Amino acid sequence: MTAVPTHQTYAELQQAYEHFNQALFGGQLPNCLITLQREKRSMGYFSSRRFADAQGNFTDEIAMNPAFFAVMPILETMQTLVHEMCHLWQFHFGKPGRGRYHNEEWAQKMESIGLMPSSTGAPGGARTGERMADYALEDGQFVKACADLLTKSFCLTWYDRFTDLSAVTRSSAERLDSSVGGGDLPCISMPALTHALISSAALPIAGSQAGAVEGSVGMRPTGGSNRWKYVCPCSINVWGKPKLKLICGTCGGVFVSAEAVVLESQAENSINAH
């Protein structure tokens, strides 16, 4: 039977929502409508009573940004979901702050389920404020709930091919054990996904000087050097003549440059903006 991407994607997100609702909120959260939205500089958001049906019923929205699915550990993607679930909890059972303000009640709820609020996303950041991130407490309920979810063969099947690989950062979540999603990023640990993401970098980019060619794409030389820098999916760097076609003997991937990926992403964003 042919896979239906829409069914797969939303069934997986709903599975995660129901799992964390039971594990962290005692099953008290009402259902909501989970959507995919590409909001710049945001991994997700919550909007109360955003949707209505023909009978006059309302439901909340939790939006997830698919641009981050491939380049963030699944632990952090699930953190985003639970972060927004805390906003949903507060809307129904507490007193939300004004506008985008994350108040102390929300911060206490987050900490009680194993996510520490932080304005920087790391220890030492402010607990409350307008724009808030968080990090997982290694012995907290969230980490345990995430581990339980992943033992059920949970995954996010579909990823955005035009994700900007330059968005990859070594975050606090990645220092956690890989069994709870803190190991390799999906774009590194899944060779097929890596190939799908970097293949877009080999496409010609209108108006650029990336020098994209069939096969490997190298980093343009600087200064008086005539050597190009090539990077494979498993992050091995090599230097050689321009326009070489290289295959990595370790991972089997095509060598490509981070610069080409960034340029392709920028070109795609420019097209979407119009």
Side-chain angles (χ1 to χ4, degrees):
M1 182 177 179
T2 304
V4 181
T6 299
H7 291 175
Q8 284 182 309
T9 299
Y10 286 96
E12 288 162 357
L13 292 172
Q14 182 63 29
Q15 177 189 355
Y17 181 90
E18 293 175 357
H19 173 80
F20 289 119
N21 188 14
Q22 291 296 327
L24 302 177
F25 298 90
Q28 70 177 147
L29 300 186
N31 283 314
C32 68
L33 183 55
I34 301 174
T35 65
L36 298 180
Q37 306 285 349
R38 288 185 177 87
E39 287 286 324
K40 291 184 178 180
R41 298 181 297 279
S42 174
M43 292 182 66
Y45 65 78
F46 166 77
S47 183
S48 62
R49 294 165 60 89
R50 185 61 180 262
F51 290 88
D53 66 12
Q55 286 71 47
N57 300 309
F58 296 94
T59 192
D60 308 311
E61 176 190 22
I62 287 181
M64 301 289 290
N65 190 340
F68 288 92
F69 287 1
V71 296
M72 300 301 287
I74 196 168
L75 176 73
E76 289 204 24
T77 302
M78 294 299 100
Q79 275 181 235
T80 300
L81 176 62
V82 174
H83 176 123
E84 306 311 332
M85 290 173 72
C86 278
H87 285 300
L88 188 151
W89 169 86
Q90 189 176 37
F91 175 75
H92 288 278
F93 304 103
K95 295 182 179 180
R98 291 185 178 181
R100 295 183 178 182
Y101 188 77
H102 298 65
N103 61 20
E104 182 61 27
E105 180 186 61
W106 172 86
Q108 289 179 6
K109 185 63 176 178
M110 287 279 287
E111 188 173 354
S112 73
I113 62 174
L115 292 178
M116 180 62 71
S118 170
S119 58
T120 64
R127 283 169 47 85
T128 61
E130 291 286 336
R131 290 187 173 274
M132 295 296 299
D134 53 79
Y135 59 93
L137 299 173
E138 295 191 34
D139 297 322
Q141 294 183 49
F142 169 76
V143 167
K144 295 175 183 177
C146 199
D148 290 341
L149 177 64
L150 296 183
T151 60
K152 300 175 182 178
S153 300
F154 175 83
C155 69
L156 294 174
T157 302
W158 294 95
Y159 294 87
D160 186 346
R161 286 183 60 233
F162 294 99
T163 294
D164 184 352
L165 297 185
S166 67
V168 177
T169 59
R170 306 307 296 179
S171 66
S172 58
E174 294 177 81
R175 293 196 292 270
L176 296 177
D177 188 87
S178 60
S179 66
V180 294
D184 287 339
L185 308 177
C187 68
I188 294 175
S189 61
M190 300 167 61
L193 175 58
T194 306
H195 181 73
L197 288 169
I198 67 171
S199 64
S200 64
L203 299 174
I205 304 171
S208 78
Q209 299 179 2
V213 296
E214 181 182 359
S216 301
V217 181
M219 184 75 76
R220 289 175 297 181
T222 58
S225 174
N226 63 352
R227 296 193 307 162
W228 287 44
K229 179 181 179 181
Y230 300 85
V231 184
C232 80
C234 61
S235 300
I236 295 176
N237 300 329
V238 298
W239 285 261
K241 295 180 180 179
K243 301 184 180 180
L244 289 177
K245 299 179 180 179
L246 305 174
I247 300 294
C248 179
T250 300
C251 68
V254 177
F255 277 81
V256 69
S257 74
E259 179 190 53
V261 175
V262 171
L263 286 171
E264 173 62 25
S265 177
Q266 291 173 343
E268 178 68 12
N269 290 337
S270 177
I271 292 173
N272 290 338
H274 292 82

